[in-house]
Amino acid sequence: MAEYPLNSAQQQAVDYIDGPLLIVAGAGTGKTTVITKKIAHIVDTKLAEPEHILALTFTDKAAEEMQDRVDEFVDIGYTEMKISTFHTFCQELLQEFALDIGIPNNFKLMIETDTWMLVRQHIYDFNLDYYRPLGNPNAHIHALLSHFSKCKDELITPQEYLAHAEQLTRDNSGDMNIDEKTRITEIANAYHTYTQLLLDNSALDFGDLIYYTVKLLEQRPQIQKQLQQRFKYILVDEFQDVNWAQYVLVQMLANEKYNQLTVVGDDDQSIYAFRGASVSNILRFKEDFPTAKNIVLNTNYRSNQQILDIAYTSIQHNNPDRLEVKLQIDKKLVAGSTQETKTTQSAVTHIHGYTIDDEVGAVLQEIQSLKKEHPETVWDDFCILVRANGHADPFINGLETAQIPYEFLASAGLYRQPIVLDAFNFLKLLDNYHEHTSIYRLLRLPFLNFKESDMQKLVGLAKKKSISYYEALKRASGFFLSPEGIATCNKLVTLIHTGMKQVRYEKPSIILYNFFEDSGYLNYLTKQEDVGDKHTIRQIYQLKQFFDLLRRYEDVTPDANVVHFVEQFEYMKESGNEGKLYQPTDTPDSVNIMTIHASKGLEFKYVFMINMVEDRFPTRRRGGNIEIPTELIREQLPEGDEHVEEERRLFYVAATRAKEKLYFISSEDYGGSRKKKISRFLAELDYGSKGKEAITSQSELTKINNQTTKKELVNSDDSSVVTYNTPKAFSFSQIQSYQKCPYQYKLSHILNIPKKGAASFSFGSTMHNTLQKFYEQIQEMNSAKQPTLFDIPNGSPINKVEQGELKVPTLNELFEIYKIQWIDDWYKNKTQRESYQKKGKEILKTFYTSQEESGWTIPVTLEGWFKIVVGDHLVHGRIDRIDKQTDGSLEIIDYKTGKTKEKLVGEDKEQLLIYQIAAESLPQYRNLGPVGKLTFYYLNDNVQTSFTGKSAEIEKLKTKLTKTIENIKQGDFTPTPDKFTCQYCDYRDICEYRAT
C-alpha cells in the first residue's frame, strides 16, 4: 500500500504509550504502517532499546514485511529486535528454557507430515477401535492429529481430557449413550499416547511450541518475570486470529508494571480463528486489561468507496457476532481522498454465465479490455481469487490459451511440479532401477532432445522382448536407434550407475546435485534463464525448494540415504502432503491467481471473485472433524452459524483486496446434474434480483479474442524483460560474491541455484561450530550464560571470574564436541574424510594447549548478530567472538581455516572492518567498550593476525559497499570472468561465461 501522512487516529495509535492499547484496524487502513512506525517511535525517542521490543504475528511473510518496514524507519540498525511469528518465538524460548520444565531443549520440531508418519508407524500403540477401521487403519490419522492440535490450542492437558472421560463414564444420568462415552475415552487415551510418543522421540509438534511455553511461564514464575523485564514493549498483529493458548501467552508476557501492550486486530478479517471465536479474545482482552484504550482505524487508503460499501453491507450480516455491536464502535470504512471514484461507471460488477467456460471467457475479456483501455495497466494489477486451489484450473488453461502471463500462488503442489518429478524419479530409480516410468521420464528430459522415433523403438522393442526399460537402455545400440539416441541412452546408463555407487556412502542431496550437474540439467536451466525464460525461473525456485526438503530430511534423519528418503517421500504423499509451493509474489509481471486465504494483506487494481455460487462460495460445511467436548473449551463461541460467518468474512477479505474494480463472476452449470444457485452472499446484496440483475455473458464470451488482438496484447507487454527480487539487507559474503562476479552472485543469491559443496567448506563449518559450542560451555560453566546483549549490566564482562577459578571443559570434552559437530558432506572419498578428521583433532589439540599457556578467556559475546545502515542500505552479519581485553577494550575475533596471511591488505580486511563499524555504531556493542583490536585467528597454524581499522579505511569501505549494493539493486549482473575467480567458482562447470 502506498505511504500517506498519518491521519489523526493513526498518529494517536503511534504516540500512545500510557498503557494497554487496542487498535481496531479495518482493511486497508494502514495497520502495518502504524505498528512499524510505533516501533520506530519507541526506538527514536529512547523509550526502549530495540532488544526490549517484541512484535508477534502469524506468518513468516507478515513478520518479514514488518521487519522490512521497521528497517526503513530505524536509522542506525540494531543487534536484536524480536519480530517473529508466535511459533518461532516460542521455539527459541523452549530451546533456551525447555529443561526447566523437564522436556529436551534439543527437540526435533515435527511438521504435520512428520507427525502423520510417526502415528502411522505406531498406530497399533493407540488401542483404537472406533477410529481405526479394519479396511484402512490410517483413515482417521489426520482427523486425530487435527483434534490433538486443537486441544493444545485450548491448553487442554491429556490429564484433563482423561479426567473428563472418566467423569462421563461415572455419570449415570443417561444423557449420553455408552458408545459415545467409549468414543470420548478412546480419544482421551489417544491424546495421552500421542503426547507421550512425541516426548519419547525428543520431538515437539507446532502446537507444542505454544502449549509448553505457556506451561513454562505457569510453572516457572522467575522465568516469566525475566521475560517480562526483557520485553518492555509488546505488539501483537492480527489479534483477532489468536487462539486461547496464544492469548494466554500474550497475557502472561505482559505485565502492567513492566510492559506496554498493543494489540491490533479486525474481527471482520478473522479467517483462522477456532470455530469463529474471533471476537471472544478481543473482549477478554478488554476484561483483563480494563484500562486499555480503544483506537479505531477506518480511513481506507486502498479501495473505491463503492467497493467498501458493498463489503460493509455484506459483513453486517454477521451481527451480533461482531466487535462493532459488542463494543458499540463505528467500523464503516471511508475511502481516503486519494481513492475517490475515477469513473462514473460502477466499481462493482456482477457477470453471470451459463457454464464455467462462460466465466473464463468473461474474465479474459474483461482483463483484455481493461489492458487496452488503460495502457499504464500491467498484468500484475489483475487478480483472480479462488476459494479452493482446484477451482483455478479452467482459468489457468484460459490464460495459457490467450498467451497471457500468469502466476498461480498455490498453498500446495510442489511435488506435482515437473522438475520435482524429474528429481524424485532419478532418486527412485536408484532405489529400483527397473522402474519403467522413471526411465521413461528421464528420457523425456527437455535438454536431452530424445527423438520420438527413438522412443517408440525403445519402448516397442522392450515390450516385445519382455525386458525392462533399464535393460533396453543398456542394449540401445542393438535397437536401431539414431546415433544421438544411442548416445543419450549410454549417458543415462552412466548416470544411473554413478548414482548407484554413490548411494552407498553419499547423502541424497549430494547424489541429486551430481545428477543435475553431470547430466547437463543445471547448465540447461542457467542458459534458459539467461535468455529470460520465465518458466525456467519458476522451475529454479521449485528445484531449490525440493533441495531444501532433502536437506531438512537429512538434518533430522540419522544415516539419511536414498532408499529411506524414497520410502519417506511416498509416505508423505500418502499422508496428503502435496508440498508447499512457494512462488515469490513480485515475480515478473503476470496475472495473479490465488486463494482468498493467500491474498490477505495484498491489494490489486482489479479483482475477480469467481465461482460465486452456493456450495463453492460459501463452501459446504466440512464433515469428518472430531469435536472437542464443549465442557473443555475455554473460548466463547459465536451465537450464529460459525461456518457461514467465517465464509462471509472470507468474502469480506476478498472484496477489500480490490482498489478500483471488483467483479463477481458466477454461472449456472459446473458440470453437475443440477444448476447452481447464486451465492447467498450476492443474494444478500440484492445481486440477481430485479433492478440489480447481472450482466449475462453470452456464448460469444467463451471465445477468446482473435489472434490479431491477442498478438497486440501480448506484444504490447515487454514480456522478455525479467525483473529480479533483490534482498532487503546484505551479508558480507553476498557483497563479496558480487564483487568477484555479478553473474556468480545472481546464480547463488538471486536464483538460489543449488551448488556443489567442498570438503574445505564442510571442514571450516565443523571447526567454527565446534569452537562456538566449546566457548558456550565455558560461559555456562562459569555462570556466564549470555542469552542477549542487553542482559549484560553496565557493559562489564559477563560475571568476571578470576583466572585461577575459571572452569574449562577438558581436551577430551572438546574432542567430543568436535565429534558431534562434524559435517560429513562433500568429501571426495573415505581417505580424504579421515585425513580432515585427523587434521581437525590436531588443530584443536594445538589450540587447547596454546590457550592453556596464554590463559583462557570468557567471551563477552558469541555469534553476535547485527544489522547496520551503510549509506541508505542495510548490512547484516554475525561476529564469531568478542573478548574483553585487560585494558577494557574489545577484541573482535573471526576464525579462519584457510591459508594463513600474516599481512592483511585490501579485501582481506573488509569483513573485520564491517564488524568494527557495527561495534562502534550500535549502542549494544559500544556500551561494552571501545574496539581495541580486530583479529583473524588462523586455526591451521594457530596464528593470530590483528589490526585496527583507521577512519579512512572505514569510509573507503562504506563507499565501496554502497556502490556494490546499488549495482545489485539496479539488476546489473554482467559476468566478469577471470581465470582465478572462475577456477574457484561454485558454478564453474555450468557457466558458459567462465574463463579457461
Side-chain angles (χ1 to χ4, degrees), residues 468-502:
S468 68
Y469 287 1
Y470 169 73
E471 290 295 331
L473 284 183
K474 290 168 63 178
R475 294 157 61 176
S477 59
F479 279 20
F480 310 108
L481 272 60
S482 68
E484 299 84 3
I486 293 171
T488 297
C489 291
N490 291 339
K491 181 177 184 178
L492 279 182
V493 170
T494 300
L495 289 168
I496 293 167
H497 287 177
T498 300
M500 288 176 176
K501 292 175 184 175
Q502 293 174 339

Side-chain angles (χ1 to χ4, degrees), residues 358-368 384 395 608 610 665:
D358 288 337
E359 279 199 46
V360 174
V363 170
L364 293 177
Q365 187 178 68
E366 282 296 314
I367 289 175
Q368 291 174 329
I384 300 171
F395 296 87
F608 297 84
I610 55 99
I665 315 293

